[in-house]
Amino acid sequence: MSETLESELDQLRALLEKRLKLSGELSESLRRARRHLPHRLRKAADDLVSAEESFAHPRLAAALDEDRLVKKARRLRAYLAELDLKDRRKGRLLDMAATSAFAVLCVIALLVVVLRWRGFV
């Protein structure tokens, strides 16, 4: 494994720890981080996991394209660097609140329509 790829994987490990609070081995952290990643980066994460497992075998390690793996690691690192979990949580809470408020408004509107139709309002 080249120093460039090794440093990229170390930076990925640090970002996974810092941004997503996923500690442990890189392969396990990337597997657990899949649900936080967009679809195009899930494949890159899977490729990095399989490549890390292949580095233990000398013949398989020689067959890997390290430049391609470094590019994938850099794309993944760039995404994780801009990821903000607090903002995501806040967005999810606001989305749930908006959905609940819309449902309450629909029920109230339906209640008014039914009461008017029945002649009570």
Side-chain angles (χ1 to χ4, degrees):
M1 181 172 10
S2 71
E3 288 184 28
T4 307
L5 183 59
E6 190 173 331
S7 67
E8 288 292 329
L9 293 179
D10 288 339
Q11 290 175 1
L12 271 178
R13 190 175 294 115
L15 278 173
L16 285 170
E17 172 74 32
K18 181 181 176 185
R19 298 288 185 173
L20 298 178
K21 308 290 190 241
L22 297 174
S23 59
E25 292 184 25
L26 180 65
S27 58
E28 186 61 34
S29 296
L30 282 174
R31 283 189 184 115
R32 287 187 288 162
R34 285 195 80 216
R35 64 188 175 108
H36 296 288
L37 299 175
H39 182 70
R40 68 183 192 282
L41 290 177
R42 288 180 188 169
K43 177 98 171 89
D46 290 341
D47 289 345
L48 289 172
V49 167
S50 64
E52 189 182 38
E53 293 169 356
S54 298
F55 279 125
H57 302 83
R59 285 190 179 176
L60 293 176
L64 293 174
D65 184 11
E66 289 193 22
D67 293 333
R68 183 179 55 87
L69 291 172
V70 167
K71 287 179 184 176
K72 288 182 179 191
R74 286 183 180 156
R75 280 192 312 181
L76 194 56
R77 182 173 49 97
Y79 176 78
L80 288 173
E82 68 184 27
L83 185 67
D84 187 14
L85 280 184
K86 287 181 184 178
D87 187 46
R88 279 185 153 187
R89 282 188 202 117
K90 187 170 83 171
R92 259 187 287 163
L93 285 174
L94 287 174
D95 188 40
M96 287 188 307
T99 303
S100 299
F102 181 72
V104 167
L105 285 174
C106 287
V107 168
I108 290 172
L110 184 62
L111 179 66
V112 168
V113 167
V114 169
L115 288 175
R116 184 158 188 107
W117 179 42
R118 302 287 303 244
F120 293 110
V121 175

